[in-house]
Amino acid sequence: MPPIVKRALRNRWFVIAVHAGMWLLLYLALAGLRGKAPDLRDSDGATSPPRSSVPVAGLERLFSSGVWPKSLVETNRLDPFVTHYFIPPVAPPPTTRKIQVTYLGFYQTGGGPKNTIFKLGDSFLVAPIGARIATNLFIADATMQTLTLTNLALQTNVLSLNTNKEIIVPIQ
């Protein structure tokens, strides 16, 4: 701080005058708080409502189909902006399909072979051990709790009793 400001702040009469001025401002502020509120009244609008600056009445005629001229180009021609260069190749047809198989149990009569009961998709079927149930899928064994299916590549699928299983088989 400059020395002249330091001297003014250390002067006793200056500090007393500033202190008294602050009290005077506070009194005037508190005494003048209750003033008269301005008279507010409703007024009538002397101006007319604004007009739309955009003429929209003619827009319907502008976009109607009868205004535009007929196309001189044949409609069955190719579009000049279409190319066959970017068309992806056609995907090859699938070679496998999925079937739903549910093992329901087996039965055996006398000395005959075991006949398995299973659900293939929505149909119930009965087939002996060794029978083909789908393309390249044969019944290998049946027990009280499991049905074993195999294919020509000796890949096995074990199905539990009353459990739906999805199996992938080749398409003929």
Side-chain angles (χ1 to χ4, degrees):
M1 263 197 280
I4 193 163
V5 175
K6 283 184 184 179
R7 250 184 296 157
L9 291 176
R10 288 184 184 159
N11 187 350
R12 181 181 306 224
W13 290 107
F14 178 71
V15 170
I16 290 172
V18 168
H19 189 74
M22 292 289 210
W23 279 108
L24 179 65
L25 285 174
L26 180 64
Y27 172 75
L28 291 174
L30 293 177
L33 278 179
R34 291 184 184 87
K36 183 179 178 234
D39 292 331
L40 299 175
R41 56 190 158 85
D42 290 334
S43 64
D44 297 328
T47 63
S48 62
R51 277 188 9 210
S52 174
S53 62
V54 179
V56 294
L59 286 179
E60 286 183 27
R61 288 179 286 136
L62 180 65
F63 291 109
S64 66
S65 62
V67 174
W68 297 97
K70 300 291 183 208
S71 175
L72 300 175
V73 181
E74 296 175 15
T75 58
N76 290 338
R77 288 187 137 181
L78 289 177
D79 188 4
F81 301 103
V82 174
T83 179
H84 293 288
Y85 183 77
F86 297 106
I87 295 176
V90 177
T95 58
T96 59
R97 64 184 171 107
K98 296 178 182 178
I99 59 170
Q100 300 285 331
V101 181
T102 305
Y103 176 54
L104 301 173
F106 75 93
Y107 68 91
Q108 186 174 14
T109 57
K114 287 183 181 178
N115 290 311
T116 59
I117 305 169
F118 57 93
K119 184 177 176 184
L120 182 63
D122 291 333
S123 60
F124 292 95
L125 299 172
V126 176
I129 302 287
R132 182 172 76 164
I133 64 168
T135 306
N136 198 18
L137 192 61
F138 301 93
I139 300 173
D141 189 25
T143 64
M144 293 293 283
Q145 295 294 320
T146 60
L147 173 69
T148 306
L149 302 175
T150 187
N151 60 11
L152 296 176
L154 298 179
Q155 296 172 338
T156 59
N157 294 305
V158 178
L159 284 77
S160 299
L161 185 66
N162 291 329
T163 303
N164 192 7
K165 186 169 183 181
E166 190 172 80
I167 300 174
I168 299 174
V169 296
I171 296 176
Q172 284 181 343

